PDB file of all heavy atoms in Angstrom:
ATOM      1  N   TYR A 331     -15.467  14.746 -10.589  1.00 79.00           N
ATOM      2  CA  TYR A 331     -15.085  14.443 -11.964  1.00 79.00           C
ATOM      3  C   TYR A 331     -15.527  13.025 -12.328  1.00 79.00           C
ATOM      4  O   TYR A 331     -15.463  12.115 -11.504  1.00 79.00           O
ATOM      5  CB  TYR A 331     -13.584  14.585 -12.150  1.00 79.00           C
ATOM      6  CG  TYR A 331     -13.144  16.023 -12.329  1.00 79.00           C
ATOM      7  CD1 TYR A 331     -12.997  16.855 -11.222  1.00 79.00           C
ATOM      8  CD2 TYR A 331     -12.898  16.539 -13.594  1.00 79.00           C
ATOM      9  CE1 TYR A 331     -12.613  18.171 -11.380  1.00 79.00           C
ATOM     10  CE2 TYR A 331     -12.522  17.852 -13.759  1.00 79.00           C
ATOM     11  CZ  TYR A 331     -12.379  18.672 -12.646  1.00 79.00           C
ATOM     12  OH  TYR A 331     -12.004  19.970 -12.803  1.00 79.00           O
ATOM     13  N   PRO A 332     -15.971  12.827 -13.562  1.00 83.00           N
ATOM     14  CA  PRO A 332     -16.462  11.495 -13.947  1.00 83.00           C
ATOM     15  C   PRO A 332     -15.331  10.483 -14.039  1.00 83.00           C
ATOM     16  O   PRO A 332     -14.177  10.839 -14.256  1.00 83.00           O
ATOM     17  CB  PRO A 332     -17.095  11.742 -15.319  1.00 83.00           C
ATOM     18  CG  PRO A 332     -16.370  12.934 -15.861  1.00 83.00           C
ATOM     19  CD  PRO A 332     -16.081  13.802 -14.672  1.00 83.00           C
ATOM     20  N   VAL A 333     -15.704   9.226 -13.890  1.00 85.00           N
ATOM     21  CA  VAL A 333     -14.746   8.144 -14.098  1.00 85.00           C
ATOM     22  C   VAL A 333     -14.262   8.205 -15.547  1.00 85.00           C
ATOM     23  O   VAL A 333     -15.074   8.330 -16.474  1.00 85.00           O
ATOM     24  CB  VAL A 333     -15.402   6.779 -13.821  1.00 85.00           C
ATOM     25  CG1 VAL A 333     -14.522   5.637 -14.298  1.00 85.00           C
ATOM     26  CG2 VAL A 333     -15.696   6.629 -12.331  1.00 85.00           C
ATOM     27  N   PRO A 334     -12.953   8.168 -15.785  1.00 81.00           N
ATOM     28  CA  PRO A 334     -12.446   8.253 -17.165  1.00 81.00           C
ATOM     29  C   PRO A 334     -12.896   7.065 -18.010  1.00 81.00           C
ATOM     30  O   PRO A 334     -13.002   5.939 -17.524  1.00 81.00           O
ATOM     31  CB  PRO A 334     -10.926   8.263 -16.979  1.00 81.00           C
ATOM     32  CG  PRO A 334     -10.690   7.678 -15.622  1.00 81.00           C
ATOM     33  CD  PRO A 334     -11.870   8.054 -14.800  1.00 81.00           C
ATOM     34  N   GLU A 335     -13.139   7.347 -19.264  1.00 81.00           N
ATOM     35  CA  GLU A 335     -13.663   6.320 -20.165  1.00 81.00           C
ATOM     36  C   GLU A 335     -12.748   5.105 -20.248  1.00 81.00           C
ATOM     37  O   GLU A 335     -13.213   3.967 -20.316  1.00 81.00           O
ATOM     38  CB  GLU A 335     -13.866   6.914 -21.559  1.00 81.00           C
ATOM     39  CG  GLU A 335     -15.006   7.900 -21.667  1.00 81.00           C
ATOM     40  CD  GLU A 335     -16.361   7.249 -21.423  1.00 81.00           C
ATOM     41  OE1 GLU A 335     -16.524   6.064 -21.788  1.00 81.00           O
ATOM     42  OE2 GLU A 335     -17.240   7.919 -20.876  1.00 81.00           O
ATOM     43  N   GLN A 336     -11.419   5.340 -20.210  1.00 81.00           N
ATOM     44  CA  GLN A 336     -10.500   4.215 -20.391  1.00 81.00           C
ATOM     45  C   GLN A 336     -10.506   3.241 -19.222  1.00 81.00           C
ATOM     46  O   GLN A 336     -10.011   2.129 -19.339  1.00 81.00           O
ATOM     47  CB  GLN A 336      -9.069   4.716 -20.644  1.00 81.00           C
ATOM     48  CG  GLN A 336      -8.444   5.505 -19.506  1.00 81.00           C
ATOM     49  CD  GLN A 336      -8.616   6.999 -19.683  1.00 81.00           C
ATOM     50  OE1 GLN A 336      -9.690   7.460 -20.055  1.00 81.00           O
ATOM     51  NE2 GLN A 336      -7.559   7.746 -19.425  1.00 81.00           N
ATOM     52  N   LEU A 337     -11.086   3.655 -18.066  1.00 86.00           N
ATOM     53  CA  LEU A 337     -11.122   2.754 -16.919  1.00 86.00           C
ATOM     54  C   LEU A 337     -12.489   2.109 -16.704  1.00 86.00           C
ATOM     55  O   LEU A 337     -12.628   1.250 -15.827  1.00 86.00           O
ATOM     56  CB  LEU A 337     -10.708   3.503 -15.646  1.00 86.00           C
ATOM     57  CG  LEU A 337      -9.251   3.935 -15.579  1.00 86.00           C
ATOM     58  CD1 LEU A 337      -8.929   4.507 -14.196  1.00 86.00           C
ATOM     59  CD2 LEU A 337      -8.305   2.781 -15.893  1.00 86.00           C
ATOM     60  N   LYS A 338     -13.479   2.483 -17.470  1.00 87.00           N
ATOM     61  CA  LYS A 338     -14.801   1.893 -17.283  1.00 87.00           C
ATOM     62  C   LYS A 338     -14.829   0.379 -17.518  1.00 87.00           C
ATOM     63  O   LYS A 338     -15.594  -0.333 -16.867  1.00 87.00           O
ATOM     64  CB  LYS A 338     -15.820   2.601 -18.179  1.00 87.00           C
ATOM     65  CG  LYS A 338     -16.157   4.000 -17.672  1.00 87.00           C
ATOM     66  CD  LYS A 338     -17.243   4.663 -18.515  1.00 87.00           C
ATOM     67  CE  LYS A 338     -17.590   6.030 -17.927  1.00 87.00           C
ATOM     68  NZ  LYS A 338     -18.631   6.721 -18.727  1.00 87.00           N
ATOM     69  N   PRO A 339     -14.012  -0.172 -18.433  1.00 89.00           N
ATOM     70  CA  PRO A 339     -14.026  -1.629 -18.577  1.00 89.00           C
ATOM     71  C   PRO A 339     -13.539  -2.387 -17.347  1.00 89.00           C
ATOM     72  O   PRO A 339     -13.868  -3.566 -17.184  1.00 89.00           O
ATOM     73  CB  PRO A 339     -13.076  -1.863 -19.762  1.00 89.00           C
ATOM     74  CG  PRO A 339     -13.080  -0.593 -20.524  1.00 89.00           C
ATOM     75  CD  PRO A 339     -13.207   0.481 -19.487  1.00 89.00           C
ATOM     76  N   VAL A 340     -12.753  -1.732 -16.475  1.00 93.00           N
ATOM     77  CA  VAL A 340     -12.170  -2.432 -15.344  1.00 93.00           C
ATOM     78  C   VAL A 340     -12.858  -2.116 -14.019  1.00 93.00           C
ATOM     79  O   VAL A 340     -12.872  -2.941 -13.113  1.00 93.00           O
ATOM     80  CB  VAL A 340     -10.657  -2.127 -15.250  1.00 93.00           C
ATOM     81  CG1 VAL A 340     -10.400  -0.668 -14.975  1.00 93.00           C
ATOM     82  CG2 VAL A 340      -9.976  -2.979 -14.185  1.00 93.00           C
ATOM     83  N   LEU A 341     -13.483  -0.932 -13.899  1.00 94.00           N
ATOM     84  CA  LEU A 341     -14.074  -0.525 -12.627  1.00 94.00           C
ATOM     85  C   LEU A 341     -15.504  -1.037 -12.484  1.00 94.00           C
ATOM     86  O   LEU A 341     -16.246  -1.163 -13.457  1.00 94.00           O
ATOM     87  CB  LEU A 341     -14.064   1.000 -12.511  1.00 94.00           C
ATOM     88  CG  LEU A 341     -12.690   1.656 -12.350  1.00 94.00           C
ATOM     89  CD1 LEU A 341     -12.820   3.170 -12.414  1.00 94.00           C
ATOM     90  CD2 LEU A 341     -12.031   1.237 -11.038  1.00 94.00           C
TER      91      LEU A 341
END
Side-chain angles (χ1 to χ4, degrees):
Y331 280 80
V333 168
E335 289 295 327
Q336 63 265 43
L337 292 187
K338 287 184 177 179
V340 64
L341 291 173

